[in-house]
Amino acid sequence: MDIILLLLCLAGAGHAHGDEGAPSKSTQPAKPLERIAPAAIRRHVEYLASPMLEGRGTPRGKQLAAEYIRRRFEELRLQPLFGAAGYFQEIPGAKTDEGQTSVMGRNIGACLPGSDPKLKDELIILSAHYDHLGVRRGKIYPGADDNAGSVAMMLEVARKFVESDVKPARTLVFLSCDLEENLLWGSRWFVAHPPRPLGQVKLFVTAEMIGRTLGDLPLGAIFVLGSEHGTGLKQVVDGVTTPAELKVAHLGIDLIGTRSDYGPFWNEKVPFLFFSGGEHPDYHQPTDTADRLDYMRAAHVSQLIFDVCQQVANVVEPPSWNDKPVHGLDEVRTLHRITELLLASDDAARTRGQAKLSNLQRFTVSNVHTRTAQMIERGEVRADERPWLIRSSQILLLTVF
Ligand SMILES: [Zn+2]
């Protein structure tokens, strides 16, 4: 995860869509399904982030987490993803001195077969990594937001699919990768050893840190990255009705690069979506505890992800890879808003005699502010300006925050 998301969160990027109390979507079955409940998300997080699980980084803690997820899959009567091996995919480590191969970690996967005989060989994968940092210098790192919250999301989305009267046409795969915190080793192993051909995967969805907002600011932005690489994905996401307090903000994935389990799928040109709220002060700290999550927010994001998966699972034309995405003005507006807020907060600090930005920082920020204003006025970003945009985001990150 990246501090750029903090910037974007500061800016209140994106747009709200949907109205408070809007009726449920017309595509839903006759018997209206209840929305995913905050209490259901909380139950999973409180267990997965409890001290007993030792930050899901020790062998014992990871074992308990993996068993928990497998039991939920079994209760939902989802099929094991890895054939004879069941719900677990072992990730081998280095050979021992005796020539034995050690087990470094385990991915956990299950599937809900599609109901359409013609489409059931096409897969939508919903994933959330379950490992975290474990115990370091005697301190447990519970990883409640990173990433117990998203595992809870995945489990509740799975339940909703199972309990729905209308089964998805395509097959849904629920995947909890291990070793994300070790250079994405779990998802890399999965992509290198897929249980079914990767060409069958029409969409890969993953999420990180959906229960907090960056900087703990009272902003409801959920960042959605990657939609620019899959045909029709942005329209699907924007077509979902969300509560007024949850604002969807699309961002190009190149603004943050590879930060999570979508990376290996991106390399293989599998269309993907990454949902994240971004970093907060407790990110990768022992203080990332279950009591600090906003469960209503996590439930809203879970519902959004369910709706997106359901639509893509049933849509006639699934997303295909788009190598040359067109970026709109959303990101420019976001950057502009960020710099506006930065300059305003520096102005306020200077009137109190304590500048927030150095002169060089102020120059950089002002420059971005001015150039983004020009792009907005012109109504387009020229092709040669996008590399500048990416670089500017990174300079802002590195020098200002
Ligand atoms: Zn993570």
Side-chain angles (χ1 to χ4, degrees), residues 216-237:
D216 279 340
L217 293 162
L219 293 164
I222 180 74
F223 301 106
V224 182
L225 297 98
S227 66
E228 71 277 13
H229 280 298
T231 55
L233 281 179
K234 186 172 186 295
Q235 290 81 341
V236 167
V237 175

PDB file of all heavy atoms in Angstrom, residues 216-237:
ATOM      1  N   ASP A 216      -7.049   8.351   8.869  1.00  0.00           N
ATOM      2  CA  ASP A 216      -8.240   8.336   9.723  1.00  0.00           C
ATOM      3  C   ASP A 216      -9.103   9.581   9.535  1.00  0.00           C
ATOM      4  O   ASP A 216      -9.805  10.003  10.445  1.00  0.00           O
ATOM      5  CB  ASP A 216      -7.854   8.208  11.207  1.00  0.00           C
ATOM      6  CG  ASP A 216      -7.557   6.764  11.575  1.00  0.00           C
ATOM      7  OD1 ASP A 216      -8.003   5.859  10.840  1.00  0.00           O
ATOM      8  OD2 ASP A 216      -6.875   6.546  12.588  1.00  0.00           O
ATOM      9  N   LEU A 217      -9.044  10.147   8.341  1.00  0.00           N
ATOM     10  CA  LEU A 217      -9.848  11.336   8.085  1.00  0.00           C
ATOM     11  C   LEU A 217     -11.286  10.924   7.821  1.00  0.00           C
ATOM     12  O   LEU A 217     -11.546   9.846   7.306  1.00  0.00           O
ATOM     13  CB  LEU A 217      -9.278  12.091   6.879  1.00  0.00           C
ATOM     14  CG  LEU A 217      -7.901  12.684   7.156  1.00  0.00           C
ATOM     15  CD1 LEU A 217      -7.197  13.025   5.855  1.00  0.00           C
ATOM     16  CD2 LEU A 217      -8.017  13.912   8.036  1.00  0.00           C
ATOM     17  N   PRO A 218     -12.219  11.765   8.182  1.00  0.00           N
ATOM     18  CA  PRO A 218     -13.639  11.398   8.022  1.00  0.00           C
ATOM     19  C   PRO A 218     -14.091  11.521   6.564  1.00  0.00           C
ATOM     20  O   PRO A 218     -15.005  12.260   6.238  1.00  0.00           O
ATOM     21  CB  PRO A 218     -14.360  12.407   8.920  1.00  0.00           C
ATOM     22  CG  PRO A 218     -13.461  13.592   8.949  1.00  0.00           C
ATOM     23  CD  PRO A 218     -12.050  13.086   8.807  1.00  0.00           C
ATOM     24  N   LEU A 219     -13.412  10.788   5.694  1.00  0.00           N
ATOM     25  CA  LEU A 219     -13.745  10.809   4.270  1.00  0.00           C
ATOM     26  C   LEU A 219     -14.118   9.401   3.848  1.00  0.00           C
ATOM     27  O   LEU A 219     -13.484   8.443   4.256  1.00  0.00           O
ATOM     28  CB  LEU A 219     -12.551  11.288   3.459  1.00  0.00           C
ATOM     29  CG  LEU A 219     -12.160  12.751   3.677  1.00  0.00           C
ATOM     30  CD1 LEU A 219     -10.775  13.012   3.148  1.00  0.00           C
ATOM     31  CD2 LEU A 219     -13.180  13.665   3.032  1.00  0.00           C
ATOM     32  N   GLY A 220     -15.125   9.312   3.029  1.00  0.00           N
ATOM     33  CA  GLY A 220     -15.634   7.984   2.702  1.00  0.00           C
ATOM     34  C   GLY A 220     -15.127   7.405   1.397  1.00  0.00           C
ATOM     35  O   GLY A 220     -15.766   6.550   0.823  1.00  0.00           O
ATOM     36  N   ALA A 221     -13.974   7.878   0.916  1.00  0.00           N
ATOM     37  CA  ALA A 221     -13.524   7.397  -0.396  1.00  0.00           C
ATOM     38  C   ALA A 221     -13.034   5.957  -0.325  1.00  0.00           C
ATOM     39  O   ALA A 221     -12.303   5.582   0.573  1.00  0.00           O
ATOM     40  CB  ALA A 221     -12.411   8.293  -0.932  1.00  0.00           C
ATOM     41  N   ILE A 222     -13.495   5.155  -1.276  1.00  0.00           N
ATOM     42  CA  ILE A 222     -12.887   3.835  -1.499  1.00  0.00           C
ATOM     43  C   ILE A 222     -12.228   3.922  -2.878  1.00  0.00           C
ATOM     44  O   ILE A 222     -12.862   4.316  -3.850  1.00  0.00           O
ATOM     45  CB  ILE A 222     -13.901   2.677  -1.416  1.00  0.00           C
ATOM     46  CG1 ILE A 222     -13.211   1.331  -1.657  1.00  0.00           C
ATOM     47  CG2 ILE A 222     -15.072   2.825  -2.375  1.00  0.00           C
ATOM     48  CD1 ILE A 222     -12.370   0.844  -0.509  1.00  0.00           C
ATOM     49  N   PHE A 223     -10.949   3.608  -2.916  1.00  0.00           N
ATOM     50  CA  PHE A 223     -10.222   3.710  -4.169  1.00  0.00           C
ATOM     51  C   PHE A 223     -10.373   2.419  -4.944  1.00  0.00           C
ATOM     52  O   PHE A 223     -10.239   1.327  -4.379  1.00  0.00           O
ATOM     53  CB  PHE A 223      -8.754   4.035  -3.902  1.00  0.00           C
ATOM     54  CG  PHE A 223      -8.603   5.318  -3.146  1.00  0.00           C
ATOM     55  CD1 PHE A 223      -8.268   5.317  -1.802  1.00  0.00           C
ATOM     56  CD2 PHE A 223      -8.852   6.525  -3.769  1.00  0.00           C
ATOM     57  CE1 PHE A 223      -8.169   6.505  -1.096  1.00  0.00           C
ATOM     58  CE2 PHE A 223      -8.756   7.720  -3.066  1.00  0.00           C
ATOM     59  CZ  PHE A 223      -8.413   7.704  -1.725  1.00  0.00           C
ATOM     60  N   VAL A 224     -10.673   2.550  -6.198  1.00  0.00           N
ATOM     61  CA  VAL A 224     -10.815   1.396  -7.085  1.00  0.00           C
ATOM     62  C   VAL A 224      -9.779   1.558  -8.187  1.00  0.00           C
ATOM     63  O   VAL A 224      -9.830   2.518  -8.953  1.00  0.00           O
ATOM     64  CB  VAL A 224     -12.231   1.311  -7.670  1.00  0.00           C
ATOM     65  CG1 VAL A 224     -12.379   0.069  -8.546  1.00  0.00           C
ATOM     66  CG2 VAL A 224     -13.272   1.284  -6.550  1.00  0.00           C
ATOM     67  N   LEU A 225      -8.831   0.638  -8.218  1.00  0.00           N
ATOM     68  CA  LEU A 225      -7.742   0.737  -9.182  1.00  0.00           C
ATOM     69  C   LEU A 225      -7.783  -0.423 -10.167  1.00  0.00           C
ATOM     70  O   LEU A 225      -8.178  -1.536  -9.801  1.00  0.00           O
ATOM     71  CB  LEU A 225      -6.398   0.741  -8.446  1.00  0.00           C
ATOM     72  CG  LEU A 225      -6.195   1.942  -7.508  1.00  0.00           C
ATOM     73  CD1 LEU A 225      -6.511   1.557  -6.075  1.00  0.00           C
ATOM     74  CD2 LEU A 225      -4.783   2.494  -7.611  1.00  0.00           C
ATOM     75  N   GLY A 226      -7.388  -0.164 -11.386  1.00  0.00           N
ATOM     76  CA  GLY A 226      -7.279  -1.232 -12.367  1.00  0.00           C
ATOM     77  C   GLY A 226      -8.428  -1.308 -13.356  1.00  0.00           C
ATOM     78  O   GLY A 226      -8.328  -2.036 -14.348  1.00  0.00           O
ATOM     79  N   SER A 227      -9.511  -0.580 -13.095  1.00  0.00           N
ATOM     80  CA  SER A 227     -10.677  -0.720 -13.993  1.00  0.00           C
ATOM     81  C   SER A 227     -10.327  -0.286 -15.413  1.00  0.00           C
ATOM     82  O   SER A 227     -10.957  -0.738 -16.371  1.00  0.00           O
ATOM     83  CB  SER A 227     -11.870   0.071 -13.465  1.00  0.00           C
ATOM     84  OG  SER A 227     -11.601   1.450 -13.494  1.00  0.00           O
ATOM     85  N   GLU A 228      -9.300   0.545 -15.543  1.00  0.00           N
ATOM     86  CA  GLU A 228      -8.939   1.047 -16.881  1.00  0.00           C
ATOM     87  C   GLU A 228      -8.392  -0.061 -17.784  1.00  0.00           C
ATOM     88  O   GLU A 228      -8.359   0.087 -19.001  1.00  0.00           O
ATOM     89  CB  GLU A 228      -7.916   2.191 -16.748  1.00  0.00           C
ATOM     90  CG  GLU A 228      -6.503   1.793 -16.317  1.00  0.00           C
ATOM     91  CD  GLU A 228      -6.339   1.633 -14.805  1.00  0.00           C
ATOM     92  OE1 GLU A 228      -7.362   1.586 -14.086  1.00  0.00           O
ATOM     93  OE2 GLU A 228      -5.198   1.527 -14.348  1.00  0.00           O
ATOM     94  N   HIS A 229      -7.961  -1.177 -17.190  1.00  0.00           N
ATOM     95  CA  HIS A 229      -7.369  -2.254 -17.998  1.00  0.00           C
ATOM     96  C   HIS A 229      -8.364  -3.333 -18.419  1.00  0.00           C
ATOM     97  O   HIS A 229      -7.998  -4.254 -19.145  1.00  0.00           O
ATOM     98  CB  HIS A 229      -6.212  -2.916 -17.249  1.00  0.00           C
ATOM     99  CG  HIS A 229      -4.931  -2.134 -17.328  1.00  0.00           C
ATOM    100  ND1 HIS A 229      -4.295  -1.894 -18.528  1.00  0.00           N
ATOM    101  CD2 HIS A 229      -4.179  -1.536 -16.377  1.00  0.00           C
ATOM    102  CE1 HIS A 229      -3.196  -1.187 -18.308  1.00  0.00           C
ATOM    103  NE2 HIS A 229      -3.110  -0.941 -17.020  1.00  0.00           N
ATOM    104  N   GLY A 230      -9.596  -3.258 -17.933  1.00  0.00           N
ATOM    105  CA  GLY A 230     -10.591  -4.271 -18.302  1.00  0.00           C
ATOM    106  C   GLY A 230     -11.777  -3.601 -18.985  1.00  0.00           C
ATOM    107  O   GLY A 230     -12.385  -2.696 -18.413  1.00  0.00           O
ATOM    108  N   THR A 231     -12.108  -4.038 -20.177  1.00  0.00           N
ATOM    109  CA  THR A 231     -13.205  -3.393 -20.904  1.00  0.00           C
ATOM    110  C   THR A 231     -14.510  -3.512 -20.106  1.00  0.00           C
ATOM    111  O   THR A 231     -14.838  -4.575 -19.589  1.00  0.00           O
ATOM    112  CB  THR A 231     -13.409  -4.036 -22.292  1.00  0.00           C
ATOM    113  OG1 THR A 231     -13.592  -5.453 -22.101  1.00  0.00           O
ATOM    114  CG2 THR A 231     -12.205  -3.818 -23.189  1.00  0.00           C
ATOM    115  N   GLY A 232     -15.187  -2.391 -19.996  1.00  0.00           N
ATOM    116  CA  GLY A 232     -16.500  -2.357 -19.338  1.00  0.00           C
ATOM    117  C   GLY A 232     -16.460  -2.320 -17.815  1.00  0.00           C
ATOM    118  O   GLY A 232     -17.508  -2.171 -17.178  1.00  0.00           O
ATOM    119  N   LEU A 233     -15.274  -2.438 -17.208  1.00  0.00           N
ATOM    120  CA  LEU A 233     -15.218  -2.547 -15.749  1.00  0.00           C
ATOM    121  C   LEU A 233     -15.622  -1.248 -15.040  1.00  0.00           C
ATOM    122  O   LEU A 233     -16.303  -1.274 -14.019  1.00  0.00           O
ATOM    123  CB  LEU A 233     -13.818  -2.969 -15.290  1.00  0.00           C
ATOM    124  CG  LEU A 233     -13.510  -4.466 -15.418  1.00  0.00           C
ATOM    125  CD1 LEU A 233     -12.084  -4.757 -14.964  1.00  0.00           C
ATOM    126  CD2 LEU A 233     -14.498  -5.290 -14.586  1.00  0.00           C
ATOM    127  N   LYS A 234     -15.167  -0.141 -15.591  1.00  0.00           N
ATOM    128  CA  LYS A 234     -15.496   1.138 -14.944  1.00  0.00           C
ATOM    129  C   LYS A 234     -17.017   1.343 -14.935  1.00  0.00           C
ATOM    130  O   LYS A 234     -17.587   1.758 -13.930  1.00  0.00           O
ATOM    131  CB  LYS A 234     -14.790   2.284 -15.681  1.00  0.00           C
ATOM    132  CG  LYS A 234     -14.946   3.628 -15.001  1.00  0.00           C
ATOM    133  CD  LYS A 234     -14.059   4.676 -15.658  1.00  0.00           C
ATOM    134  CE  LYS A 234     -14.103   5.986 -14.873  1.00  0.00           C
ATOM    135  NZ  LYS A 234     -15.427   6.622 -14.884  1.00  0.00           N
ATOM    136  N   GLN A 235     -17.628   0.991 -16.053  1.00  0.00           N
ATOM    137  CA  GLN A 235     -19.080   1.148 -16.149  1.00  0.00           C
ATOM    138  C   GLN A 235     -19.790   0.248 -15.141  1.00  0.00           C
ATOM    139  O   GLN A 235     -20.786   0.642 -14.540  1.00  0.00           O
ATOM    140  CB  GLN A 235     -19.569   0.819 -17.564  1.00  0.00           C
ATOM    141  CG  GLN A 235     -19.158   1.837 -18.628  1.00  0.00           C
ATOM    142  CD  GLN A 235     -17.739   1.663 -19.158  1.00  0.00           C
ATOM    143  OE1 GLN A 235     -16.895   1.016 -18.518  1.00  0.00           O
ATOM    144  NE2 GLN A 235     -17.445   2.242 -20.309  1.00  0.00           N
ATOM    145  N   VAL A 236     -19.283  -0.975 -14.961  1.00  0.00           N
ATOM    146  CA  VAL A 236     -19.900  -1.882 -13.989  1.00  0.00           C
ATOM    147  C   VAL A 236     -19.803  -1.281 -12.586  1.00  0.00           C
ATOM    148  O   VAL A 236     -20.792  -1.209 -11.846  1.00  0.00           O
ATOM    149  CB  VAL A 236     -19.228  -3.281 -14.022  1.00  0.00           C
ATOM    150  CG1 VAL A 236     -19.655  -4.116 -12.812  1.00  0.00           C
ATOM    151  CG2 VAL A 236     -19.588  -4.014 -15.312  1.00  0.00           C
ATOM    152  N   VAL A 237     -18.597  -0.831 -12.214  1.00  0.00           N
ATOM    153  CA  VAL A 237     -18.406  -0.278 -10.860  1.00  0.00           C
ATOM    154  C   VAL A 237     -19.291   0.957 -10.670  1.00  0.00           C
ATOM    155  O   VAL A 237     -19.963   1.108  -9.640  1.00  0.00           O
ATOM    156  CB  VAL A 237     -16.927   0.072 -10.613  1.00  0.00           C
ATOM    157  CG1 VAL A 237     -16.754   0.749  -9.259  1.00  0.00           C
ATOM    158  CG2 VAL A 237     -16.059  -1.190 -10.690  1.00  0.00           C
TER     159      VAL A 237
END
